[in-house]
Amino acid sequence: MSRPLNFQQIQAFKTVMETGTTTRAAQILNTTQPSISRRLSELRAATGLELFDLYNGRLRPTREGRQLYESVRRHFEGLEKIETAVHVLRKSGTGVLRIGSTPTLAAGLLPGVMARFTRQNPGVYISLQTFGTPQLRDYLSQGLIDFILTTGHVEDPSMVSTRLQRASAVCVLPTGHPLAAHRTLRLDHLRRHRLVLLDDNDDIMVAMRARLRARNDQEDVMVETNSSLTICALVAAGVGVGVVNPFVAKTFAGRLAIRALHPTIPVDISLVRSVALAPSMLASRFVDMLTDQVLPDPLDDDAPPPGDPSPAPSSAPPSITMPAPPGPADP
């Protein structure tokens, strides 16, 4: 071979093989017939092979030309697959979105976002894994999920955590409970009632018990569990009064009363991602949509003061948006 082949020669050869004439090949490649003939001559000189002969005034491939074409065709098929893959990636990331979430956020926050996301990205496959924060952290470190949504804390140098929203824990009560007459409840209201609470490992309980200890208050815990969903179900059944994050409480709206607490107990929604791997286009698109849906920080220091914390009217629907710390609570 006297000199290397170039793409224009190979492309001209392939197109002539598929169309049968240099004139038609020139039309497809948006060039001239003499240009195609010149590229074929250059290819013959570079390979040292007779790729065509003339038969009844038409080009006819030789056996060598046919064999070379098969190699060229396979090469172009590979390029077409690459172009298709690039198109799919540009359109929908990898086509697979792997989300890790705590159960309360999966039930109370993600359904609306996922419904909107799947409508806009109908060809995407989503894997949603719901576990506690420690197991989600392990999954992320192993590359089994793209990101974590949690209300817990993740401290790991290989991960970066971003707060998406700060809300406040709420009190959930059976419908018709005497405390449901109040718009805002103090913690000392709760100690007079049977409580259904999260265990001591939960951030809400850590903060709540610290506030109770500061006031020398004691709680009457009837049931303790590690599941906010279980608390809401037990409260709806009349077992007692509970304290949970507002996202899971929202899923039980209509089945129980939801009231704000004072002093407030912050609940952060955090997005946790790997430091070592940049997010896919698909993951970034989902996170943007999720960020658009979450509410402004209701505990922002610049938030306006709340309205009169008077008893809630009996016809008012349960409120799940947490106000900033109120003035004196209801008696």
Side-chain angles (χ1 to χ4, degrees):
M1 195 176 292
S2 60
R3 53 183 180 273
L5 308 181
N6 62 49
F7 179 77
Q8 288 76 17
Q9 295 165 359
I10 296 296
Q11 187 181 44
F13 168 72
K14 174 179 179 291
T15 309
V16 169
M17 286 290 296
E18 292 172 348
T19 61
T21 69
T22 55
T23 301
R24 180 61 182 146
Q27 293 172 347
I28 291 175
L29 298 179
N30 195 28
T31 186
T32 63
Q33 187 273 335
S35 175
I36 295 295
S37 297
R38 184 178 65 254
R39 291 173 188 176
L40 292 180
S41 297
E42 292 171 351
L43 179 63
R44 181 180 59 187
T47 60
L49 299 173
E50 290 294 336
L51 302 174
F52 297 95
D53 68 7
L54 280 174
Y55 180 76
N56 290 336
R58 294 176 61 88
L59 289 176
R60 180 175 64 174
T62 63
R63 183 180 298 275
E64 291 81 5
R66 177 66 64 182
Q67 291 176 346
L68 179 60
Y69 171 72
E70 291 301 319
S71 297
V72 169
R73 182 180 58 82
R74 287 192 294 269
H75 170 77
F76 272 79
E77 285 177 352
L79 290 177
E80 290 170 358
K81 289 179 181 178
I82 293 173
E83 290 173 351
T84 300
V86 168
H87 174 73
V88 171
L89 289 170
R90 187 181 297 118
K91 182 180 178 182
S92 60
T94 60
V96 177
L97 181 62
R98 304 169 305 167
I99 304 171
S101 174
T102 53
T104 54
L105 294 182
L109 179 66
L110 287 182
V113 183
M114 291 184 67
R116 180 181 165 200
F117 186 80
T118 52
R119 284 195 299 268
Q120 295 185 13
N121 302 273
V124 172
Y125 170 81
I126 298 177
S127 170
L128 174 60
Q129 301 296 319
T130 57
F131 297 104
T133 301
Q135 188 166 353
L136 291 173
R137 183 183 59 221
D138 292 342
Y139 270 46
L140 184 60
S141 66
Q142 297 172 47
L144 300 177
I145 52 180
D146 295 323
F147 57 84
I148 296 171
L149 288 171
T150 179
T151 54
H153 294 292
V154 175
E155 296 183 3
D156 190 311
S158 67
M159 300 175 189
V160 58
S161 181
T162 304
R163 191 180 81 183
L164 298 181
Q165 179 187 5
R166 170 165 284 186
S168 297
V170 295
C171 180
V172 288
L173 312 121
T175 55
H177 193 281
L179 289 180
H182 302 290
R183 180 175 298 166
T184 302
L185 297 173
R186 296 192 306 263
L187 288 178
D188 61 353
H189 282 136
L190 305 186
R191 63 186 176 87
R192 308 167 195 164
H193 300 271
R194 296 177 302 175
L195 300 179
V196 183
L197 298 178
L198 293 162
D199 58 36
D200 286 337
N201 295 323
D202 188 87
D203 292 337
I204 290 178
M205 285 302 98
V206 171
M208 177 177 169
R209 288 189 166 123
R211 287 161 172 74
L212 289 173
R213 283 194 300 270
R215 300 167 59 94
N216 293 318
D217 287 335
Q218 299 293 323
E219 73 266 23
D220 178 14
V221 180
M222 183 177 185
V223 178
E224 189 172 271
T225 177
N226 65 345
S227 169
S228 295
L229 288 164
T230 301
I231 289 176
C232 290
L234 292 173
V235 170
V239 173
V241 173
V243 176
V244 296
N245 75 59
F247 310 102
V248 66
K250 181 178 66 173
T251 66
F252 283 79
R255 297 174 56 190
L256 42 72
I258 305 169
R259 296 294 179 262
L261 281 172
H262 177 65
T264 56
I265 300 173
V267 177
D268 290 342
I269 304 176
S270 295
L271 171 74
V272 185
R273 288 185 276 207
S274 170
V275 172
L277 185 65
S280 68
M281 292 175 60
L282 200 60
S284 296
R285 196 177 304 161
F286 185 89
V287 170
D288 288 344
M289 192 173 291
L290 176 66
T291 304
D292 288 343
Q293 175 159 316
V294 296
L295 302 174
D297 184 349
L299 296 185
D300 194 311
D301 292 337
D302 296 328
D308 178 21
S310 57
S314 59
S315 60
S319 172
I320 64 167
T321 301
M322 296 298 94
D330 299 323

